Amino acid sequence: MEKFSRKKRILCFGDSNTWGFDASTGERFSESVRWTSLLQEAYGEKVQVIEEGLSGRTSVFQDPLFEGVCALDYIHPCILSHSPLDVVVIMLGTNDTKERFRATSYNIAQGIVRLAQKTAKALEVQENNCVVIIVSPPPIHENYRHTEIFEAMGEACDRKSNELGERLATLIAQHPFEFVDASHIPMNTIDYMHLDEEGHKLFAQLIFNKLESLLKK
């Protein structure tokens, strides 16, 4: 970490898995558990990790049931509010799989890339170059169908979620964004669509490794 010549600012922009939703309690994991907090702990005072998680957040879809969850509407003022930034980590897509949005996995990937493009546009006001990392989230397990969350999510969420990583990798190859595939990290065994404590640890390490590889370039 001594390689930093000044304090770096990392914006972690996502949904309930960035906010830290604990499916076992319905509340928020403590700072000792959340992946954003673990990332902050790994870097110490030389880096500022900014949490921007919101439960239910979508990439580009307007949700008729919940206001203010469309990231495309919020990302520009969010970037300006937290500037200057050195890294923006975007992890969305889980909520986009909801049946009511009627989006294919390809549509979801398109929306996330569009959001990243708008992010990059907002970052142009900065003098320093900011890295935008798109993360394909851990996939929803098929067992979500046997939980209470199924009624709210609807059909085919697991299939679209499992296809998302490949779709994103293909689209991102055409753009100057970094990519992280978190498909190997399991969700919990309660609702099968949120990280548990171990998942937060694994995810924090994954993002830390990615950041370290970028900083060494």
Side-chain angles (χ1 to χ4, degrees), residues 134-196:
I134 298 176
V135 182
S136 180
I140 300 171
H141 192 277
E142 62 182 4
N143 285 347
Y144 91 101
R145 296 168 175 271
H146 307 300
T147 72
E148 294 180 357
I149 202 70
F150 175 70
E151 193 169 6
M153 295 292 291
E155 290 282 356
C157 298
D158 54 327
R159 175 181 57 77
K160 289 183 281 188
S161 179
N162 277 276
E163 294 172 353
L164 185 56
E166 184 176 352
R167 299 293 195 184
L168 275 172
T170 300
L171 290 180
I172 292 172
Q174 306 168 35
H175 299 277
F177 307 128
E178 295 291 332
F179 177 61
V180 172
D181 187 351
S183 62
H184 64 287
I185 296 178
M187 295 292 198
N188 67 41
T189 55
I190 300 171
D191 62 14
Y192 297 93
M193 59 177 297
H194 287 97
L195 295 169
D196 57 15

Side-chain angles (χ1 to χ4, degrees), residues 10-176:
I10 302 171
L11 176 66
C12 300
F13 189 86
D15 52 29
S16 54
N17 276 313
T18 297
W19 183 78
F21 180 78
D22 181 358
S24 66
T25 64
E27 299 178 355
R28 191 179 194 182
F29 277 121
S30 69
E31 290 186 354
S32 64
V33 174
R34 299 197 299 270
W35 71 265
T36 45
S37 299
L38 297 178
L39 189 64
Q40 178 69 76
E41 182 180 336
Y43 277 112
E45 296 182 357
K46 294 182 178 180
V47 169
Q48 181 177 2
V49 175
I50 303 165
E51 295 180 317
E52 259 292 351
L54 175 66
S55 294
R57 178 174 276 157
T58 66
S59 59
V60 299
F61 301 108
Q62 297 289 346
D63 195 324
L65 299 180
F66 304 103
E67 295 181 28
V69 297
C70 177
L72 195 68
D73 293 340
Y74 176 63
I75 193 65
H76 187 87
C78 178
I79 293 297
L80 298 183
S81 175
H82 292 300
S83 292
L85 294 167
D86 297 280
V87 180
V88 177
V89 180
I90 299 173
M91 182 172 71
L92 290 170
T94 301
N95 291 299
D96 297 4
T97 66
K98 292 174 180 175
E99 185 178 6
R100 62 179 175 268
F101 297 131
R102 300 186 182 279
T104 65
S105 58
Y106 183 74
N107 295 152
I108 294 169
Q110 286 180 304
I112 294 170
V113 171
R114 183 186 177 199
L115 177 66
Q117 290 175 308
K118 189 170 183 179
T119 300
K121 186 68 176 178
L123 289 165
E124 288 180 358
V125 299
Q126 296 189 171
E127 293 184 1
N128 61 302
N129 294 322
C130 179
V131 177
V132 177
I133 302 174
I134 298 176
V135 182
S136 180
I140 300 171
H141 192 277
E142 62 182 4
N143 285 347
Y144 91 101
R145 296 168 175 271
H146 307 300
T147 72
E148 294 180 357
I149 202 70
F150 175 70
E151 193 169 6
M153 295 292 291
E155 290 282 356
C157 298
D158 54 327
R159 175 181 57 77
K160 289 183 281 188
S161 179
N162 277 276
E163 294 172 353
L164 185 56
E166 184 176 352
R167 299 293 195 184
L168 275 172
T170 300
L171 290 180
I172 292 172
Q174 306 168 35
H175 299 277

